[in-house]
Amino acid sequence: MSLDALLPNLGEWLRGTGPESDIILSTRIRLARNLADIPFTSRAEAPQKAAVLRRVRDALAKANLPYTLQYHDLAALSPLDRQFLVERQLISPELAAHQGPCGVAFDPRESVSIMINEEDHLRLQVLRSGFALEDAWQDINQLDDALEAHLPYAFHPQFGYLTACPTNVGTGLRASVMLHLPALSLTRQLERTLRAIQKIQLTVRGLHGERSHALGDLYQISNQVTLGKPESRILQELREVIQIILAGERQARQLLLQEQRHVEQNRVARALGTLGSATLITAEETMELLSVVRLGIHLKLIDNIPTTVVNQLFIQCQAAHLQKIVGHTLDGEERNVARARFLKDRLRQLGPQPS
Amino acid sequence: MSLDALLPNLGEWLRGTGPESDIILSTRIRLARNLADIPFTSRAEAPQKAAVLRRVRDALAKANLPYTLQYHDLAALSPLDRQFLVERQLISPELAAHQGPCGVAFDPRESVSIMINEEDHLRLQVLRSGFALEDAWQDINQLDDALEAHLPYAFHPQFGYLTACPTNVGTGLRASVMLHLPALSLTRQLERTLRAIQKIQLTVRGLHGERSHALGDLYQISNQVTLGKPESRILQELREVIQIILAGERQARQLLLQEQRHVEQNRVARALGTLGSATLITAEETMELLSVVRLGIHLKLIDNIPTTVVNQLFIQCQAAHLQKIVGHTLDGEERNVARARFLKDRLRQLGPQPS
């Protein structure tokens, strides 16, 4: 099945539904797992990696899961297709760059994905729209149990699950919540908030994971510690912090509306004006401007653009998606032209903006 | 006659016709003159200033001029009306601020204006669209002769015309050319050019005269020296320098087109996008954006906006013009709202922009 069939879909993480979706785009939980009888990916030979692939696929076939999985051998995919999967959050940039045998399986909703031969043999991931730690946990726990029934996981009675990187040992669990925090950012309260978060052993990153800065005011907040606490406590601690940030962003949005409604309205109108008129635009600037529009929608400063359209534009303006839409590869400069044309056309279809 | 009648007119300096009008907006010559038997304005008592007013008006009535003049007593004008005249370049900011008896007379084309009781008793001014030093000189020389036949000018056989400020003694002549130099500015050649100009005793200023910086890439270049040279030589030296700058700007525009056509197109499209979408906009930003649009027109990157519309928007977005259009006074914040609305409406009337 060609990946192009995914193009019209928003995927789970941009569906825009789910609890608190005015601020929280998505919740993600991943579990790192390894087979006990094969060296970690970085030390495994190609035949060993191929064996991991085969055994995991067998286990998936035997597991009685409530969804069907689509499997893709990454070696068979073009760099463009790999990047496309990264943009849809179905694989990590690390897996996309992996040279040996590796693959990914995911469900039609793009809610569950299983990366094989990433840093660990198995990276199970569940994505949920909005703030849904409990649902995501139930889904991934079910998937993990189903696979464990057929695969000998590397597990140590004292340490727990063993992983390639010591920071994942124990539960192997990382839970991340992707938040849109434009108002905290605008009102300069964000830095203080994020400093506080880091003190309590949570990690803050941008959209594309480690080393990416927070483009478009999108922040991923996740647990740092995987060892010495049960999963339920890791999730509970994260949940509490997210609730505090959520309240802070809501309050900051109210303040913006009360104190500088006109300034904000102007910013939103100009962002739409630029998106609809530029003839060259980078993915980064597009994300920044869509972030402004998204806030404008939730502040009810514009009403003729649905959030889902913003989410669609957000993903469709990424490099690989854009090239798939156009139907051929484009260099950086050509992408800036194609992106601008695409945005202009899409916004024109929505009709004139209110004044 | 109410000043509001001027509102639909562009005035001479924004007419957009005249030689080299792709770069040169207008040419202005002014002569400083004083009556021999009355102290300079800064030292004259109110009755003496009133006498200057009366005698100049009598002389204007007797002079056989090829145009009719409309006279306005500035004491009778509101601050808004005074500012309106400043924006149309018919009076100086200094005259607008003058507290005692003072006035201005100008012709229907707004090409000739006579300020009474500015720094000097008389400031004669001729404005011409485009690059027209010779025409402006002939007009002002004729006006000066016609007035001199009826007024005893302060004149010293060795120094020439005596003026309130020593920098004007001699010819009392200042010739200024208003240039639009966006390409020299963009390509960073402007600073060097302007430094060279100052070495040869010419002055560079922004739109609103001394102390104003070059908003909208508009530069006024004028002679510094009024003493020890005949008028013809002052004008010839200015003409030669302007021709060099003109050639430089033309070359810089060609380079822009050859080397970064797409970048420039993007800049122009975005400027129009912002002008047509902002809900708050200052006069300064409007001028900067209209400067980009004006260059876009002359580079033929847009074809559905005539230069005259840009010139119209340019003047209509100034504070006093805007308040006259709206029909009541507005504070700074209200002007930014009204200006944005006005721009949006006017640009909508021009129809959709090409992509």
Side-chain angles (χ1 to χ4, degrees), chain A residues 27-33 120 122-126 133-134 136-138 140-141 144 159-163 165-176 201-203 205 221-239:
Chain A
T27 301
R28 174 164 59 167
I29 300 184
R30 67 104 168 113
L31 295 174
R33 297 291 184 257
D120 296 294
L122 271 170
R123 286 280 176 105
L124 314 180
Q125 172 183 280
V126 167
L133 281 166
E134 192 49 46
W137 171 245
Q138 282 175 11
I140 204 160
N141 199 27
D144 188 41
F159 299 128
Y161 292 102
L162 300 179
T163 54
C165 178
T167 58
N168 291 317
V169 167
T171 56
L173 177 146
R174 174 147 295 151
S176 311
Q201 295 186 306
L202 295 177
T203 304
R205 296 177 301 173
I221 296 179
S222 55
N223 63 303
Q224 220 169 61
V225 176
T226 56
L227 185 68
K229 296 182 193 179
E231 289 87 348
S232 59
R233 203 170 126 211
I234 293 174
L235 297 178
Q236 183 54 28
E237 286 173 359
L238 182 63
R239 185 181 294 114

Side-chain angles (χ1 to χ4, degrees), chain B residues 41-177:
Chain B
T41 310
S42 63
R43 299 188 161 247
E45 304 294 334
Q48 293 173 308
K49 292 185 195 175
V52 172
L53 272 184
R54 199 171 50 243
R55 287 168 63 185
V56 171
R57 295 194 63 187
D58 283 351
L60 287 170
K62 285 179 201 153
N64 186 24
L65 296 170
Y67 37 78
T68 54
L69 291 170
Q70 187 185 136
Y71 175 79
H72 291 275
D73 182 357
L74 258 68
L77 294 186
S78 65
L80 181 63
D81 277 337
R82 288 174 176 225
Q83 182 57 29
F84 179 76
L85 292 175
V86 171
E87 290 172 5
R88 300 188 79 80
Q89 309 266 315
L90 291 169
I91 67 172
S92 62
E94 291 71 24
L95 191 69
H98 190 80
Q99 295 297 321
C102 63
V104 63
F106 51 85
D107 74 320
R109 277 184 72 89
E110 302 176 48
S111 173
V112 175
S113 99
I114 297 130
M115 287 185 267
I116 311 170
N117 290 331
E118 214 251 22
E119 184 180 283
D120 296 294
H121 295 154
L122 271 170
R123 285 280 176 104
L124 314 180
Q125 173 183 282
V126 167
L127 267 167
R128 281 288 194 144
S129 182
F131 192 25
L133 281 165
E134 192 49 45
D135 288 351
W137 170 245
Q138 282 175 10
D139 283 1
I140 205 160
N141 199 26
Q142 179 188 42
L143 172 63
D144 188 41
D145 287 348
L147 286 175
E148 197 162 16
H150 303 286
L151 293 171
Y153 279 168
F155 184 85
H156 185 282
Q158 186 185 348
F159 300 126
Y161 292 101
L162 300 178
T163 55
C165 177
T167 58
N168 291 316
V169 166
T171 56
L173 178 147
R174 174 147 295 150
S176 309
V177 177

